[in-house]
């Protein structure tokens, strides 16, 4: 009798959850970043897809990077997300980076996002992460903060900060601007300054992105994605 009760309860919960399940939205994009100090560049093609579980949700990320010098990378990521209100969320993520088969990174951490405004006119996203590396490379911790401010009905200003400790010892500061050139299609510009040891690099980026549905809740957490062009 007890087992039948639990089975019936689980079935009803599964059925009600299934009705609310489905793809929430996502985005795809193409980005070109140029390191003006070293004459190197990185082209990234990637996307994210969100899937509702009837309360919590999942997000999957996929990215392919091609570098003008050195190996490129393919990254896979997943996020487990709990929505807090209609526009804010907290989550945990795991990402795998394959650097052309020569080395691998395993990244994991926690993240949060807070947004206000009818069209998310202001959004603040932060995360902390651990990067575990093979091939004799040092592991390290990192954190990042990204902010977006809507300007008018079709433009957005952005600013970001990324910092990695230990042997990497890298800080990255960025500002950007994007404009919706067609429904859900945006063209963006970004300028970043990366400081690591004796290196002081300026990176300029151009991006084209398409968003569908509710878009992606969180950004890509693969390490090369966070420091493009370096």
């Amino acid at each position: 009798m007890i087992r039948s009760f639990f089975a019936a309860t689980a079935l009803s919960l599964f059925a009600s959850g299934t009705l609310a399940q489905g793809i929430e939205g996502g985005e795809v994009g193409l980005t070109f970043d140029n390191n003006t100090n070293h004459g190197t560049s990185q082209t990234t093609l990637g996307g994210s897809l969100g899937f509702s579980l009837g309360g919590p949700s999942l997000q999957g990320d996929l990215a392919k990077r091609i570098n003008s010098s050195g190996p490129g990378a393919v990254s896979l990521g997943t996020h487990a997300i709990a929505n807090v209100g209609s526009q804010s969320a907290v989550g945990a993520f795991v990402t795998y980076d394959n650097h052309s088969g020569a080395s691998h990174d395993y990244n994991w951490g926690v993240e949060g996002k807070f947004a206000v405004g009818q069209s998310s006119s202001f959004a603040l996203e932060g995360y902390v992460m651990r990067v575990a590396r093979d091939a004799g490379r040092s592991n390290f911790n990192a954190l990042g903060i990204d902010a977006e401010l809507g300007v008018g009905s079709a433009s957005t200003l952005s600013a970001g900060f990324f910092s990695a400790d230990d042997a990497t010892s890298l800080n990255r500061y960025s500002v950007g601007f994007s404009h919706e050139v067609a429904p859900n299609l945006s063209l963006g510009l970004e300028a970043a300054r990366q400081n690591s040891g004796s290196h002081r690099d300026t990176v300029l980026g151009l991006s084209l992105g398409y968003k569908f549905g509710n878009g992606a809740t969180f950004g890509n957490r693969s390490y090369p994605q966070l420091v493009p062009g370096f």
Side-chain angles (χ1 to χ4, degrees):
M1 183 68 177
I2 295 177
R3 285 187 297 179
S4 299
F5 171 77
F6 280 119
T9 302
L11 182 60
S12 63
L13 289 174
F14 176 79
S16 61
T18 300
L19 293 177
Q21 289 178 0
I23 295 176
E24 294 182 310
E27 54 190 53
V28 293
L30 177 66
T31 303
F32 175 80
D33 294 289
N34 181 56
N35 187 319
T36 62
N37 293 84
H38 295 283
T40 58
S41 64
Q42 177 174 267
T43 302
T44 304
L45 175 63
S48 301
L49 183 66
F51 187 84
S52 173
L53 299 178
S57 59
L58 298 175
Q59 177 183 313
D61 304 324
L62 173 63
K64 168 64 177 177
R65 281 173 293 280
I66 302 172
N67 291 343
S68 62
S69 62
V74 174
S75 299
L76 298 171
T78 184
H79 310 247
I81 302 168
N83 296 310
V84 182
S86 60
Q87 299 186 76
S88 301
V90 294
F93 62 89
V94 177
T95 303
Y96 167 71
D97 298 323
N98 184 334
H99 301 267
S100 297
S103 59
H104 308 84
D105 293 349
Y106 300 89
N107 319 323
W108 64 87
V110 294
E111 56 198 346
K113 184 175 185 178
F114 172 75
V116 294
Q118 194 66 30
S119 302
S120 298
S121 59
F122 175 76
L124 184 66
E125 184 173 337
Y127 54 92
V128 293
M129 61 189 292
R130 177 68 173 174
V131 178
R133 317 176 89 181
D134 66 356
R137 300 171 301 145
S138 299
N139 303 334
F140 60 89
N141 302 311
L143 61 85
I145 300 174
D146 296 298
E148 292 186 346
L149 177 65
V151 181
S153 60
S155 300
T156 302
L157 295 174
S158 60
F161 171 71
F162 175 81
S163 180
D165 67 6
D166 298 332
T168 302
S169 185
L170 182 146
N171 291 319
R172 181 177 190 267
Y173 310 86
S174 64
V175 293
F177 173 81
S178 65
H179 182 75
E180 191 174 56
V181 296
N184 299 322
L185 182 66
S186 296
L187 181 66
L189 299 171
E190 184 183 73
R193 184 68 171 176
Q194 298 177 176
N195 302 328
S196 178
S198 60
H199 293 285
R200 300 293 185 270
D201 298 332
T202 299
V203 178
L204 303 178
L206 176 65
S207 63
L208 184 66
Y210 178 77
K211 181 176 75 172
F212 55 93
N214 295 330
T217 302
F218 289 114
N220 194 311
R221 301 293 181 234
S222 57
Y223 175 61
Q225 184 86 350
L226 303 174
V227 286
F230 184 77

